[in-house]
């Protein structure tokens, strides 16, 4: 199994910045990719950004240029730097780890962007 613990959510004004962190433990060696998803009230969970073991990244179109995902394999952590935040970025953000045929989730951290 893999355990994921997120931190860094909070309340910020539009245009501000936040950094989310995810600490992974357990079968770290088996993780193929890690990512951030978010879910706003009344909406489905969506992929925000993902980073694979080699450092390759993919972003949701609406966050490109504003968010940056990074991964420190030596510390087993992943971060999401979020700049120029907008009210529509308000959601619960979840850390995700992908193994072969297995997915693990963190407990989620609330990000609220006020206008």
């Amino acid at each position: 199994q893999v355990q994921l613990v997120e931190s860094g959510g909070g309340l910020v004004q539009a245009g501000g910045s936040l950094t989310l962190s995810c600490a992974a433990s357990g079968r770290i060696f088996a993780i193929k990719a890690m990512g951030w998803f978010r879910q706003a009230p009344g909406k489905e969970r969506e992929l925000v950004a993902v980073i694979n073991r080699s450092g390759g990244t993919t972003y949701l179109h609406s966050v490109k240029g504003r968010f940056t995902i990074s991964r420190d394999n030596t510390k087993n952590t992943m971060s999401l730097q979020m700049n120029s935040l907008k009210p529509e970025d308000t959601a619960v953000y979840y850390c995700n780890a992908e193994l072969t045929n297995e997915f693990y989730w963190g407990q989620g951290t609330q990000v609220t962007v006020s206008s």
Side-chain angles (χ1 to χ4, degrees), residues 38-56:
R38 68 185 182 188
Q39 188 165 19
K43 295 187 177 181
E44 294 192 354
R45 191 172 297 190
E46 63 179 357
L47 173 66
V48 177
V50 63
I51 185 166
N52 62 28
R53 193 178 291 168
S54 332

Side-chain angles (χ1 to χ4, degrees), residues 21-92:
S21 296
C22 176
S25 60
R27 295 170 52 208
I28 305 299
F29 62 92
I31 295 176
K32 296 164 54 178
M34 296 186 72
W36 290 95
F37 287 69
R38 68 185 182 188
Q39 188 165 19
K43 295 187 177 181
E44 294 192 354
R45 191 172 297 190
E46 63 179 357
L47 173 66
V48 177
V50 63
I51 185 166
N52 62 28
R53 193 178 291 168
S54 332
T57 58
T58 301
Y59 292 92
L60 178 69
H61 179 73
S62 63
V63 309
K64 281 183 180 178
R66 300 189 297 123
F67 291 12
T68 302
I69 190 171
S70 60
R71 182 173 173 179
D72 187 336
N73 292 327
T74 63
K75 297 181 179 179
N76 300 324
T77 58
M78 176 183 64
S79 296
L80 184 68
Q81 175 67 43
M82 305 185 293
N83 298 326
S84 302
L85 282 160
K86 304 176 180 180
E88 51 264 43
D89 294 318
T90 295
V92 177

Side-chain angles (χ1 to χ4, degrees), residues 2 17-20 33 39 50 58 61 68 96-98 102 109:
V2 172
S17 298
L18 279 176
T19 300
L20 304 182
Q39 188 165 19
V50 63
T58 301
H61 179 73
T68 302
N96 169 270
E98 177 189 353
E102 296 176 69
T109 185

